[in-house]
Amino acid sequence: MAVLEIIKMGDPKLGLKSTPVTDFKSEELQILIVNMIETMRIYQGVGLAAPQIGVSKQIVILEVAQNARYPHADNIELDVLINPKIIDYSVQNEFDWEGCLSLPGLRGQVQRSKRISYEAYDREGRRVNKTVHGFHARIIQHEVDHLNGILYPQKLSDFKKFGFEDSLPTFLETTNSANP
Ligand code: NI
């Protein structure tokens, strides 16, 4: 296993559209997934998309397990989504804070659909169809954006709710009020 370098906002590779995975049996794919998982855990991410490690392929992983960067989030089991497609978005939206390992130290409030349905393949190439909501739906929307070359600052509606996590009064208030 290996911890990979995460590329940062400004790197043109983050703006590329990723291509679908076609060979699910390749050893290269399985090694890449294992290394992405180790990298996400080391950096305390709740999600990671292959473009963030400079690989322009449609691979997303996510996991929430007592995460220090998101202390109030419910746990989500490790999941690997290959060639994911969001096929339905709830009309109801909600705002919440997001961070990204490609923008270390920053947070922004982004509007996302409360619930989504998606199709994907798992790491063995089996088709998956799921409906998820809340923070789980938010992570997948954020990661699928990465596959399309989009970073969350492009989705901000209020630039005052974007900044460094240790300097944003509104972010700190939310965090403290949720866990007094
Ligand atoms: Ni991200």
PDB file of all heavy atoms in Angstrom, residues 97-119:
ATOM      1  N   TRP A  97     -21.739  22.817   5.230  1.00  0.00           N
ATOM      2  CA  TRP A  97     -20.314  23.081   5.035  1.00  0.00           C
ATOM      3  C   TRP A  97     -19.629  21.907   4.353  1.00  0.00           C
ATOM      4  O   TRP A  97     -19.876  20.765   4.696  1.00  0.00           O
ATOM      5  CB  TRP A  97     -19.641  23.337   6.384  1.00  0.00           C
ATOM      6  CG  TRP A  97     -20.127  24.584   7.037  1.00  0.00           C
ATOM      7  CD1 TRP A  97     -21.036  24.681   8.041  1.00  0.00           C
ATOM      8  CD2 TRP A  97     -19.741  25.914   6.705  1.00  0.00           C
ATOM      9  NE1 TRP A  97     -21.242  26.001   8.356  1.00  0.00           N
ATOM     10  CE2 TRP A  97     -20.464  26.774   7.559  1.00  0.00           C
ATOM     11  CE3 TRP A  97     -18.853  26.475   5.771  1.00  0.00           C
ATOM     12  CZ2 TRP A  97     -20.331  28.170   7.503  1.00  0.00           C
ATOM     13  CZ3 TRP A  97     -18.723  27.850   5.718  1.00  0.00           C
ATOM     14  CH2 TRP A  97     -19.456  28.681   6.575  1.00  0.00           C
ATOM     15  N   GLU A  98     -18.739  22.241   3.421  1.00  0.00           N
ATOM     16  CA  GLU A  98     -17.912  21.225   2.770  1.00  0.00           C
ATOM     17  C   GLU A  98     -16.457  21.618   2.850  1.00  0.00           C
ATOM     18  O   GLU A  98     -16.115  22.801   2.895  1.00  0.00           O
ATOM     19  CB  GLU A  98     -18.307  21.077   1.282  1.00  0.00           C
ATOM     20  CG  GLU A  98     -19.663  20.449   1.124  1.00  0.00           C
ATOM     21  CD  GLU A  98     -20.065  20.167  -0.321  1.00  0.00           C
ATOM     22  OE1 GLU A  98     -19.185  20.047  -1.197  1.00  0.00           O
ATOM     23  OE2 GLU A  98     -21.275  20.059  -0.547  1.00  0.00           O
ATOM     24  N   GLY A  99     -15.622  20.612   2.864  1.00  0.00           N
ATOM     25  CA  GLY A  99     -14.191  20.817   2.718  1.00  0.00           C
ATOM     26  C   GLY A  99     -13.729  19.921   1.588  1.00  0.00           C
ATOM     27  O   GLY A  99     -14.528  19.178   1.012  1.00  0.00           O
ATOM     28  N   CYS A 100     -12.458  19.972   1.277  1.00  0.00           N
ATOM     29  CA  CYS A 100     -11.934  19.146   0.199  1.00  0.00           C
ATOM     30  C   CYS A 100     -10.433  18.994   0.411  1.00  0.00           C
ATOM     31  O   CYS A 100      -9.759  19.975   0.734  1.00  0.00           O
ATOM     32  CB  CYS A 100     -12.203  19.822  -1.146  1.00  0.00           C
ATOM     33  SG  CYS A 100     -11.621  18.878  -2.556  1.00  0.00           S
ATOM     34  N   LEU A 101      -9.934  17.778   0.249  1.00  0.00           N
ATOM     35  CA  LEU A 101      -8.494  17.557   0.472  1.00  0.00           C
ATOM     36  C   LEU A 101      -7.640  18.286  -0.573  1.00  0.00           C
ATOM     37  O   LEU A 101      -6.446  18.465  -0.356  1.00  0.00           O
ATOM     38  CB  LEU A 101      -8.182  16.059   0.471  1.00  0.00           C
ATOM     39  CG  LEU A 101      -8.833  15.257   1.611  1.00  0.00           C
ATOM     40  CD1 LEU A 101      -8.493  13.777   1.479  1.00  0.00           C
ATOM     41  CD2 LEU A 101      -8.401  15.780   2.983  1.00  0.00           C
ATOM     42  N   SER A 102      -8.257  18.744  -1.656  1.00  0.00           N
ATOM     43  CA  SER A 102      -7.508  19.523  -2.647  1.00  0.00           C
ATOM     44  C   SER A 102      -7.500  21.014  -2.312  1.00  0.00           C
ATOM     45  O   SER A 102      -6.864  21.808  -3.016  1.00  0.00           O
ATOM     46  CB  SER A 102      -8.086  19.294  -4.047  1.00  0.00           C
ATOM     47  OG  SER A 102      -7.876  17.946  -4.429  1.00  0.00           O
ATOM     48  N   LEU A 103      -8.231  21.392  -1.244  1.00  0.00           N
ATOM     49  CA  LEU A 103      -8.241  22.783  -0.760  1.00  0.00           C
ATOM     50  C   LEU A 103      -8.026  22.742   0.749  1.00  0.00           C
ATOM     51  O   LEU A 103      -8.924  23.086   1.526  1.00  0.00           O
ATOM     52  CB  LEU A 103      -9.588  23.465  -1.030  1.00  0.00           C
ATOM     53  CG  LEU A 103     -10.020  23.852  -2.437  1.00  0.00           C
ATOM     54  CD1 LEU A 103     -10.492  22.669  -3.234  1.00  0.00           C
ATOM     55  CD2 LEU A 103     -11.136  24.879  -2.345  1.00  0.00           C
ATOM     56  N   PRO A 104      -6.866  22.300   1.203  1.00  0.00           N
ATOM     57  CA  PRO A 104      -6.691  22.068   2.638  1.00  0.00           C
ATOM     58  C   PRO A 104      -6.909  23.323   3.477  1.00  0.00           C
ATOM     59  O   PRO A 104      -6.454  24.403   3.100  1.00  0.00           O
ATOM     60  CB  PRO A 104      -5.251  21.561   2.750  1.00  0.00           C
ATOM     61  CG  PRO A 104      -4.625  21.733   1.416  1.00  0.00           C
ATOM     62  CD  PRO A 104      -5.685  21.986   0.412  1.00  0.00           C
ATOM     63  N   GLY A 105      -7.641  23.127   4.590  1.00  0.00           N
ATOM     64  CA  GLY A 105      -7.859  24.229   5.524  1.00  0.00           C
ATOM     65  C   GLY A 105      -9.054  25.099   5.211  1.00  0.00           C
ATOM     66  O   GLY A 105      -9.437  25.939   6.015  1.00  0.00           O
ATOM     67  N   LEU A 106      -9.665  24.911   4.052  1.00  0.00           N
ATOM     68  CA  LEU A 106     -10.783  25.768   3.644  1.00  0.00           C
ATOM     69  C   LEU A 106     -12.117  25.055   3.809  1.00  0.00           C
ATOM     70  O   LEU A 106     -12.189  23.824   3.742  1.00  0.00           O
ATOM     71  CB  LEU A 106     -10.614  26.186   2.177  1.00  0.00           C
ATOM     72  CG  LEU A 106      -9.472  27.155   1.897  1.00  0.00           C
ATOM     73  CD1 LEU A 106      -9.151  27.183   0.404  1.00  0.00           C
ATOM     74  CD2 LEU A 106      -9.823  28.559   2.370  1.00  0.00           C
ATOM     75  N   ARG A 107     -13.153  25.864   4.025  1.00  0.00           N
ATOM     76  CA  ARG A 107     -14.522  25.350   4.083  1.00  0.00           C
ATOM     77  C   ARG A 107     -15.429  26.316   3.347  1.00  0.00           C
ATOM     78  O   ARG A 107     -15.183  27.527   3.345  1.00  0.00           O
ATOM     79  CB  ARG A 107     -15.019  25.254   5.536  1.00  0.00           C
ATOM     80  CG  ARG A 107     -14.247  24.299   6.406  1.00  0.00           C
ATOM     81  CD  ARG A 107     -14.528  22.848   6.075  1.00  0.00           C
ATOM     82  NE  ARG A 107     -13.653  22.011   6.884  1.00  0.00           N
ATOM     83  CZ  ARG A 107     -14.042  20.894   7.479  1.00  0.00           C
ATOM     84  NH1 ARG A 107     -15.267  20.455   7.349  1.00  0.00           N
ATOM     85  NH2 ARG A 107     -13.186  20.190   8.192  1.00  0.00           N
ATOM     86  N   GLY A 108     -16.487  25.762   2.793  1.00  0.00           N
ATOM     87  CA  GLY A 108     -17.468  26.608   2.127  1.00  0.00           C
ATOM     88  C   GLY A 108     -18.852  26.013   2.270  1.00  0.00           C
ATOM     89  O   GLY A 108     -18.997  24.796   2.420  1.00  0.00           O
ATOM     90  N   GLN A 109     -19.861  26.893   2.278  1.00  0.00           N
ATOM     91  CA  GLN A 109     -21.223  26.393   2.401  1.00  0.00           C
ATOM     92  C   GLN A 109     -21.818  26.223   1.006  1.00  0.00           C
ATOM     93  O   GLN A 109     -21.851  27.173   0.220  1.00  0.00           O
ATOM     94  CB  GLN A 109     -22.069  27.357   3.236  1.00  0.00           C
ATOM     95  CG  GLN A 109     -23.055  26.613   4.086  1.00  0.00           C
ATOM     96  CD  GLN A 109     -23.847  27.523   4.983  1.00  0.00           C
ATOM     97  OE1 GLN A 109     -24.650  28.318   4.511  1.00  0.00           O
ATOM     98  NE2 GLN A 109     -23.631  27.422   6.265  1.00  0.00           N
ATOM     99  N   VAL A 110     -22.249  24.999   0.731  1.00  0.00           N
ATOM    100  CA  VAL A 110     -22.691  24.645  -0.618  1.00  0.00           C
ATOM    101  C   VAL A 110     -24.102  24.067  -0.552  1.00  0.00           C
ATOM    102  O   VAL A 110     -24.433  23.309   0.361  1.00  0.00           O
ATOM    103  CB  VAL A 110     -21.732  23.593  -1.242  1.00  0.00           C
ATOM    104  CG1 VAL A 110     -22.136  23.270  -2.674  1.00  0.00           C
ATOM    105  CG2 VAL A 110     -20.283  24.072  -1.195  1.00  0.00           C
ATOM    106  N   GLN A 111     -24.910  24.447  -1.553  1.00  0.00           N
ATOM    107  CA  GLN A 111     -26.264  23.899  -1.645  1.00  0.00           C
ATOM    108  C   GLN A 111     -26.230  22.603  -2.456  1.00  0.00           C
ATOM    109  O   GLN A 111     -25.670  22.570  -3.546  1.00  0.00           O
ATOM    110  CB  GLN A 111     -27.167  24.923  -2.331  1.00  0.00           C
ATOM    111  CG  GLN A 111     -28.628  24.567  -2.248  1.00  0.00           C
ATOM    112  CD  GLN A 111     -29.518  25.639  -2.874  1.00  0.00           C
ATOM    113  OE1 GLN A 111     -29.101  26.387  -3.739  1.00  0.00           O
ATOM    114  NE2 GLN A 111     -30.756  25.685  -2.428  1.00  0.00           N
ATOM    115  N   ARG A 112     -26.831  21.564  -1.901  1.00  0.00           N
ATOM    116  CA  ARG A 112     -26.890  20.266  -2.586  1.00  0.00           C
ATOM    117  C   ARG A 112     -28.280  19.683  -2.447  1.00  0.00           C
ATOM    118  O   ARG A 112     -29.007  20.013  -1.488  1.00  0.00           O
ATOM    119  CB  ARG A 112     -25.918  19.269  -1.921  1.00  0.00           C
ATOM    120  CG  ARG A 112     -24.471  19.670  -1.889  1.00  0.00           C
ATOM    121  CD  ARG A 112     -23.765  19.391  -3.191  1.00  0.00           C
ATOM    122  NE  ARG A 112     -22.337  19.640  -3.082  1.00  0.00           N
ATOM    123  CZ  ARG A 112     -21.522  19.655  -4.131  1.00  0.00           C
ATOM    124  NH1 ARG A 112     -21.978  19.459  -5.354  1.00  0.00           N
ATOM    125  NH2 ARG A 112     -20.239  19.887  -3.969  1.00  0.00           N
ATOM    126  N   SER A 113     -28.617  18.745  -3.313  1.00  0.00           N
ATOM    127  CA  SER A 113     -29.872  18.012  -3.157  1.00  0.00           C
ATOM    128  C   SER A 113     -29.811  17.171  -1.900  1.00  0.00           C
ATOM    129  O   SER A 113     -28.783  16.583  -1.577  1.00  0.00           O
ATOM    130  CB  SER A 113     -30.108  17.093  -4.355  1.00  0.00           C
ATOM    131  OG  SER A 113     -30.519  17.845  -5.449  1.00  0.00           O
ATOM    132  N   LYS A 114     -30.957  17.113  -1.191  1.00  0.00           N
ATOM    133  CA  LYS A 114     -31.019  16.362   0.064  1.00  0.00           C
ATOM    134  C   LYS A 114     -30.912  14.865  -0.169  1.00  0.00           C
ATOM    135  O   LYS A 114     -30.424  14.136   0.677  1.00  0.00           O
ATOM    136  CB  LYS A 114     -32.382  16.622   0.738  1.00  0.00           C
ATOM    137  CG  LYS A 114     -32.386  17.785   1.688  1.00  0.00           C
ATOM    138  CD  LYS A 114     -33.705  17.837   2.432  1.00  0.00           C
ATOM    139  CE  LYS A 114     -33.547  18.568   3.738  1.00  0.00           C
ATOM    140  NZ  LYS A 114     -34.832  18.716   4.441  1.00  0.00           N
ATOM    141  N   ARG A 115     -31.422  14.438  -1.307  1.00  0.00           N
ATOM    142  CA  ARG A 115     -31.445  13.005  -1.596  1.00  0.00           C
ATOM    143  C   ARG A 115     -31.095  12.800  -3.061  1.00  0.00           C
ATOM    144  O   ARG A 115     -31.498  13.589  -3.916  1.00  0.00           O
ATOM    145  CB  ARG A 115     -32.858  12.463  -1.311  1.00  0.00           C
ATOM    146  CG  ARG A 115     -33.036  11.001  -1.608  1.00  0.00           C
ATOM    147  CD  ARG A 115     -34.473  10.520  -1.339  1.00  0.00           C
ATOM    148  NE  ARG A 115     -35.505  11.506  -1.690  1.00  0.00           N
ATOM    149  CZ  ARG A 115     -35.921  11.760  -2.915  1.00  0.00           C
ATOM    150  NH1 ARG A 115     -35.449  11.133  -3.942  1.00  0.00           N
ATOM    151  NH2 ARG A 115     -36.838  12.685  -3.144  1.00  0.00           N
ATOM    152  N   ILE A 116     -30.336  11.760  -3.325  1.00  0.00           N
ATOM    153  CA  ILE A 116     -30.005  11.413  -4.714  1.00  0.00           C
ATOM    154  C   ILE A 116     -30.122   9.898  -4.903  1.00  0.00           C
ATOM    155  O   ILE A 116     -29.997   9.129  -3.953  1.00  0.00           O
ATOM    156  CB  ILE A 116     -28.557  11.830  -5.108  1.00  0.00           C
ATOM    157  CG1 ILE A 116     -27.519  11.206  -4.165  1.00  0.00           C
ATOM    158  CG2 ILE A 116     -28.398  13.345  -5.162  1.00  0.00           C
ATOM    159  CD1 ILE A 116     -26.169  11.000  -4.787  1.00  0.00           C
ATOM    160  N   SER A 117     -30.337   9.511  -6.148  1.00  0.00           N
ATOM    161  CA  SER A 117     -30.240   8.102  -6.521  1.00  0.00           C
ATOM    162  C   SER A 117     -29.118   8.001  -7.539  1.00  0.00           C
ATOM    163  O   SER A 117     -28.974   8.877  -8.394  1.00  0.00           O
ATOM    164  CB  SER A 117     -31.534   7.607  -7.149  1.00  0.00           C
ATOM    165  OG  SER A 117     -32.584   7.710  -6.209  1.00  0.00           O
ATOM    166  N   TYR A 118     -28.329   6.964  -7.406  1.00  0.00           N
ATOM    167  CA  TYR A 118     -27.224   6.807  -8.346  1.00  0.00           C
ATOM    168  C   TYR A 118     -27.045   5.360  -8.771  1.00  0.00           C
ATOM    169  O   TYR A 118     -27.504   4.434  -8.092  1.00  0.00           O
ATOM    170  CB  TYR A 118     -25.912   7.352  -7.749  1.00  0.00           C
ATOM    171  CG  TYR A 118     -25.358   6.533  -6.601  1.00  0.00           C
ATOM    172  CD1 TYR A 118     -24.478   5.471  -6.836  1.00  0.00           C
ATOM    173  CD2 TYR A 118     -25.714   6.804  -5.281  1.00  0.00           C
ATOM    174  CE1 TYR A 118     -23.959   4.716  -5.792  1.00  0.00           C
ATOM    175  CE2 TYR A 118     -25.208   6.049  -4.233  1.00  0.00           C
ATOM    176  CZ  TYR A 118     -24.336   5.008  -4.492  1.00  0.00           C
ATOM    177  OH  TYR A 118     -23.826   4.260  -3.462  1.00  0.00           O
ATOM    178  N   GLU A 119     -26.367   5.228  -9.911  1.00  0.00           N
ATOM    179  CA  GLU A 119     -25.943   3.911 -10.400  1.00  0.00           C
ATOM    180  C   GLU A 119     -24.431   3.935 -10.453  1.00  0.00           C
ATOM    181  O   GLU A 119     -23.843   4.980 -10.743  1.00  0.00           O
ATOM    182  CB  GLU A 119     -26.427   3.686 -11.839  1.00  0.00           C
ATOM    183  CG  GLU A 119     -27.909   3.520 -11.980  1.00  0.00           C
ATOM    184  CD  GLU A 119     -28.318   3.505 -13.456  1.00  0.00           C
ATOM    185  OE1 GLU A 119     -27.462   3.760 -14.335  1.00  0.00           O
ATOM    186  OE2 GLU A 119     -29.488   3.253 -13.707  1.00  0.00           O
TER     187      GLU A 119
END
